[in-house]
Amino acid sequence: MEGDGLEPDEAAYCAAISACKSAGEIERVFEVLDFMDLRGHSPSTAVYALAFAACLEHEAWDVLPFLLKRMEGHETKADADFFDHLVRLLGGDTPRPGPFLSKRLLQ
């Protein structure tokens, strides 16, 4: 890719992290994130959600605090978009507000 003068984009980084996730290579997830830093690319919420999903799926609990710190360093927040991505990546549906929550939001 780089030899052709092409710059990796978010889709390429997500594909690389997804491959690491499938292979159970959690250390490589951090290598991809490091490479992004070296290239001057700030990981998006979707990229971080994928990294978190890889760690959670392979029970790499010990690295989660480092991943959170890294997010803070990039000023990426674990907001609703992040959790929406994470829930979807882990195979769940995004919870929809029930009647009680809907009423509270409308007040």
Side-chain angles (χ1 to χ4, degrees):
M1 197 177 209
E2 288 180 43
D4 297 329
L6 299 174
E7 204 46 49
D9 61 5
E10 183 171 305
Y13 294 123
C14 283
I17 291 173
S18 185
C20 297
K21 176 178 175 270
S22 295
E25 297 286 339
I26 302 307
E27 299 84 18
R28 294 240 184 222
V29 169
F30 284 90
E31 289 177 18
V32 173
L33 295 173
D34 289 342
F35 184 77
M36 288 183 78
D37 283 343
L38 287 172
R39 303 296 292 177
H41 298 137
S42 186
S44 68
T45 301
V47 171
Y48 274 119
L50 189 53
F52 264 89
C55 294
L56 291 171
E57 187 174 301
H58 295 284
E59 299 179 1
W61 317 119
D62 56 327
V63 298
L64 293 176
F66 299 107
L67 201 48
L68 278 172
K69 270 203 176 302
R70 190 177 194 126
M71 280 181 73
E72 290 171 1
H74 284 117
E75 296 181 8
T76 304
K77 304 226 181 307
D79 58 9
D81 287 337
F82 170 79
F83 286 106
D84 182 51
H85 285 296
L86 187 57
V87 167
R88 289 176 194 271
L89 288 166
L90 294 173
D93 291 326
T94 303
R96 303 281 183 245
F100 175 75
L101 183 55
S102 297
K103 286 179 189 174
R104 299 272 310 202
L105 292 172
L106 294 173
Q107 291 179 350

